[in-house]
Amino acid sequence: MLRYFRPIITATVLGAAALPASAEMISKTSPHSVAVTIDRLAEAVTGAGATVFARIDHAAGATKVDMDLRPTELLIFGNPKLGTPAMMDAQTAGLDLPLRVLAYADAEGVVQVTYHDPSTLASEHGLAVDAPYLAMMTGALDKLTAKAVAAE
């Protein structure tokens, strides 16, 4: 009987292994508007010596096509000292780098700051789970977003 199910079990296991792992998201609540939160994040990023590559206002884009979207902005930023070693280990990490943080107003109007946990780069791109740059990215994102959402 097992010989009849072995191909099915093998296909199921191999199929599951081929599925991409979903990136875990980390969210924080901000007491500020979306625009102010992203301003504060950009300030924290440049203050830490990293580079802001782009700021995308998704709500403004929606307006251009006569659609309404609650305030939603994305900040793309990075530091080649952290990102380059990841891409040297697996160039496909460049799909998820530089880092991105999204700020948006949810259905209740509460501003959320959300980003992918950098540790998911390990499973997505075959990087070492204990790679020092992943720990540094994780710490940097936590500190930078904490500054962005601080009540002060």
Side-chain angles (χ1 to χ4, degrees):
M1 178 80 91
L2 181 59
R3 73 175 190 209
Y4 297 110
F5 289 106
R6 183 171 285 143
I8 294 170
I9 293 168
T10 302
T12 302
V13 170
L14 291 176
L19 294 174
S22 61
E24 181 182 333
M25 291 190 289
I26 297 171
S27 291
K28 299 177 181 181
T29 301
S30 176
H32 312 290
S33 70
V34 168
V36 168
T37 300
I38 291 293
D39 287 344
R40 292 169 59 93
L41 179 60
E43 206 172 287
V45 165
T46 56
T51 301
V52 172
F53 296 109
R55 180 176 180 161
I56 300 166
D57 185 339
H58 289 298
T63 300
K64 290 180 182 179
V65 294
D66 297 323
M67 298 175 84
D68 287 328
L69 179 66
R70 291 185 301 269
T72 307
E73 291 191 37
L74 179 74
L75 193 70
I76 302 173
F77 61 92
N79 182 335
K81 289 182 182 179
L82 297 180
T84 302
M87 288 185 278
M88 289 171 68
D89 287 348
Q91 281 187 284
T92 58
L95 286 169
D96 296 310
L97 296 172
L99 299 171
R100 298 177 305 273
V101 174
L102 182 73
Y104 64 95
D106 65 19
E108 288 77 39
V110 177
V111 175
Q112 303 292 328
V113 174
T114 304
Y115 58 91
H116 285 133
D117 183 339
S119 68
T120 61
L121 288 171
S123 59
E124 296 282 331
H125 302 286
L127 300 172
V129 176
D130 61 350
Y133 49 77
L134 292 178
M136 293 172 74
M137 287 178 194
T138 300
L141 278 167
D142 183 51
K143 289 177 186 172
L144 295 170
T145 55
K147 286 183 179 182
V149 303
E152 53 202 47

